[in-house]
């Protein structure tokens, strides 16, 4: 009985401490427009997980590089950023750190219409391949895919086409395109096309999006980092457990969902497998090393990088 009373007292003290903690408003750079792919964040806010940690989020849908710069300078405590952006920033002396990996599987892929005859990376030899730009995650994924498949840069004709992959494939301007596996292929399928998908993750383990902070936060405010990560991971788990509820929550944040519901539901369903990880939020050291190597080979790094300092798993909940 005494043990139970002590347990109840401990819980009560924790609740009182949470209630007495002043709420901190945190501006969070998202790196993209409001989208169903941010469902874990919307779930975490709507279900009160950040509020329980004494935090209120203000979503900022600005460019990813802005978030990295602001966090690195200590002007903001957190942002969402891809692993390649973290590695590039650290090569420039910007002290950002990934404290929770959100996407456990790298989402970049090459897609082709079934009628093209393309089935494997080897089939890309001699073909026209469209890519949004020759930097960022799409380009890193493309270079890693070539390397893993034993292909040279000159084996395919790479054409910068911006974000017109769907139209370029439908109109036959390219034979294949570098895309996000959970986006453009879904649009093509919803439009009635049969596609072949070549995920980079099947050939090369690379890191993707995660929660970043800076070295000063890690050193001086570790409990705040821990609380932020904990709230996010609760939202992530809820989105994985109940995608229908996650989609409904997105209606409050994403404009035009009702008019484009079928496609957006399909995008969310296609995205879920990329978030699964054990444990949730875990950063794989081998994937970070592989990403840095791909970036070095592509000439994207301006200086040396100690990759082990680019991420940490110390703020994940103990299991």
């Amino acid at each position: 009985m005494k043990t139970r009373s002590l347990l109840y007292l401990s819980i009560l003290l924790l609740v009182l401490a949470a209630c007495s903690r002043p709420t901190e408003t945190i501006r969070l750079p998202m790196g993209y427009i409001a989208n169903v792919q941010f469902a874990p964040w919307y779930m975490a806010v709507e279900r009160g997980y950040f509020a329980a940690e004494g935090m209120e989020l203000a979503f900022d849908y600005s460019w990813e590089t802005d978030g990295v710069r602001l966090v690195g300078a200590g002007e903001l405590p957190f942002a969402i950023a891809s692993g390649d952006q973290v590695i590039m920033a650290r090569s420039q002396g910007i002290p950002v750190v990934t404290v929770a990996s959100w996407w456990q599987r790298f989402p970049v892929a090459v897609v082709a219409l079934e009628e093209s005859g393309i089935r494997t990376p080897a089939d890309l030899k001699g073909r026209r391949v469209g890519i949004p730009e020759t930097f960022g995650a799409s380009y890193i994924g493309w270079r890693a895919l070539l390397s893993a498949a034993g292909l040279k840069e000159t084996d395919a004709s790479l054409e910068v086409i911006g974000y017109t992959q769907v139209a370029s494939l439908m109109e036959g301007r390219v034979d294949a395109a570098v895309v996000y596996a959970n986006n453009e292929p879904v649009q093509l399928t919803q439009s009635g096309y049969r596609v072949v998908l070549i995920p980079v993750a099947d050939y090369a383990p690379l890191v993707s999006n995660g929660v970043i902070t800076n070295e000063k936060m890690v050193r001086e405010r570790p409990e705040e980092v821990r609380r932020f990560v904990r709230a996010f991971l609760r939202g992530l788990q809820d989105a994985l457990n109940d995608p229908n509820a996650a989609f409904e929550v997105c209606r409050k944040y994403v404009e035009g969902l009702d008019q484009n519901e079928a496609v957006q539901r399909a995008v969310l369903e296609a995205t879920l497998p990329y978030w699964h990880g054990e444990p949730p939020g875990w950063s794989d050291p081998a994937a970070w090393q592989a990403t840095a190597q791909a970036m070095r080979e592509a000439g994207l790094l301006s200086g040396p990088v100690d990759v082990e300092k680019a991420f940490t798993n110390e703020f994940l909940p103990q299991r």
Side-chain angles (χ1 to χ4, degrees):
M1 184 65 70
K2 183 177 180 181
T3 301
R4 182 176 296 178
S5 297
L6 288 173
L7 176 60
Y8 289 155
L9 178 60
S10 298
I11 293 173
L12 178 60
L13 290 173
L14 286 172
V15 171
L16 290 174
C19 292
S20 62
R21 183 187 297 141
T23 300
E24 177 188 5
T25 299
I26 296 175
R27 174 184 154 205
L28 182 67
M30 311 296 280
Y32 191 55
I33 60 173
N35 192 273
V36 293
Q37 295 173 60
F38 293 132
W41 297 94
Y42 303 149
M43 290 284 275
V45 168
E46 290 300 309
R47 295 192 168 180
Y49 299 150
F50 280 101
E53 302 291 354
M55 299 173 175
E56 179 181 351
L57 292 194
F59 296 123
D60 176 1
Y61 301 105
S62 58
W63 290 103
E64 180 180 41
T65 49
D66 292 340
V68 172
R69 177 180 55 79
L70 291 168
V71 170
E75 295 181 36
L76 292 176
F78 303 102
I80 298 170
S82 59
D84 62 278
Q85 288 293 328
V86 171
I87 292 171
M88 185 175 297
R90 292 195 68 90
S91 78
Q92 299 167 358
I94 301 174
V96 289
V97 184
T98 292
V99 291
S101 285
W102 169 15
W103 293 63
Q104 295 290 329
R105 184 173 164 85
F106 192 69
V108 173
V110 172
V111 69
L113 301 185
E114 189 177 66
E115 63 201 48
S116 69
I118 294 171
R119 299 291 182 271
T120 69
D123 297 328
L124 296 170
K125 193 169 184 178
R127 301 298 192 107
R128 298 166 300 158
V129 179
I131 192 168
E133 64 258 321
T134 52
F135 59 87
S138 295
Y139 186 57
I140 293 165
W142 169 249
R143 290 293 299 260
L145 180 66
L146 289 179
S147 178
L151 297 173
K152 301 188 296 293
E153 282 188 81
T154 54
D155 283 339
S157 176
L158 193 64
E159 301 178 14
V160 176
I161 59 173
Y163 292 92
T164 66
Q165 300 102 313
V166 171
S168 294
L169 284 166
M170 291 168 60
E171 296 168 10
R173 296 199 296 267
V174 294
D175 302 309
V178 181
V179 298
Y180 278 85
N182 61 322
N183 192 352
E184 290 85 0
V186 173
Q187 295 180 43
L188 287 164
T189 300
Q190 290 286 316
S191 297
Y193 289 88
R194 299 173 68 87
V195 303
V196 174
L197 193 65
I198 305 174
V200 172
D202 286 355
Y203 298 86
L206 301 176
V207 290
S208 189
N209 282 13
V211 178
I212 71 166
T213 188
N214 55 60
E215 292 180 355
K216 186 175 181 180
M217 286 285 294
V218 168
R219 185 174 60 252
E220 299 181 4
R221 295 159 65 183
E223 186 52 34
E224 182 176 346
V225 177
R226 198 175 310 279
R227 289 188 287 117
F228 189 90
V229 169
R230 182 165 56 221
F232 162 63
L233 291 179
R234 291 181 70 186
L236 174 61
Q237 194 61 61
D238 281 5
L240 289 169
N241 292 343
D242 194 348
N244 287 331
F247 188 83
E248 291 306 312
V249 165
C250 287
R251 293 186 191 277
K252 179 177 178 179
Y253 295 88
V254 184
E255 293 184 8
L257 228 52
D258 293 340
Q259 294 76 28
N260 199 22
E261 184 165 329
V263 171
Q264 292 306 310
R265 277 189 179 274
V267 167
L268 180 59
E269 290 291 340
T271 303
L272 297 175
Y274 289 86
W275 297 341
H276 281 285
E278 190 56 42
W282 178 261
S283 280
D284 180 4
W288 280 89
Q289 293 289 350
T291 305
Q293 181 61 30
M295 295 178 71
R296 287 190 199 97
E297 292 176 355
L300 298 175
L301 299 182
S302 58
V305 178
D306 185 347
V307 180
E308 292 185 359
K309 293 184 178 179
F311 67 94
T312 178
N313 289 312
E314 70 175 284
F315 296 104
L316 303 184
Q318 297 298 313
R319 298 176 67 85

